[in-house]
Amino acid sequence: MATHYFEAEGKVFKLDTTTATKLLDTFRRNGNPQTRWSEIYRTPAGRYVQVNRTQWQGEEDSASLLHEEEVVIALALAEPSQRTPEGETLLAQKEAAFVQEA
């Protein structure tokens, strides 16, 4: 599905995944396909949206807004193969603001 409607902050939003930029896709974990996974997009309006996908009968995909900090943390904690080139770029640009040295 390329279009997701969802409610957040008292408004209804529409995500068109064909015009948004995918930053993260967790469909493959440790190289194996999953039956539930998440995708994170940056919309042309500059918002970040997480789409939780499922292949299970009776379950539906859902979408929600994310704050930039949540996106950067998700990118940092993801397997490198799950980040898109655009996700890698965003992580490199914003990492210092949200990730601390151990």
Side-chain angles (χ1 to χ4, degrees), residues 3-66:
T3 304
H4 297 275
Y5 293 91
F6 62 99
E7 187 176 356
E9 302 172 353
K11 300 175 185 174
V12 175
F13 292 92
K14 175 182 175 181
L15 169 67
D16 182 349
T17 60
T18 63
T19 60
T21 302
K22 187 185 284 188
L23 303 173
L24 180 70
D25 186 343
T26 66
F27 177 68
R28 293 203 171 275
R29 187 171 297 137
N30 297 322
N32 297 312
Q34 304 297 299
T35 57
R36 291 185 186 102
W37 70 98
S38 295
E39 299 169 352
I40 296 178
Y41 294 88
R42 181 178 46 232
T43 69
R47 292 185 178 93
Y48 296 101
V49 179
Q50 179 172 335
V51 178
N52 294 311
R53 297 204 183 257
T54 181
Q55 293 179 343
W56 288 94
Q57 184 176 0
E59 293 182 357
E60 295 181 10
D61 294 348
S62 63
S64 58
L65 289 178
L66 294 178

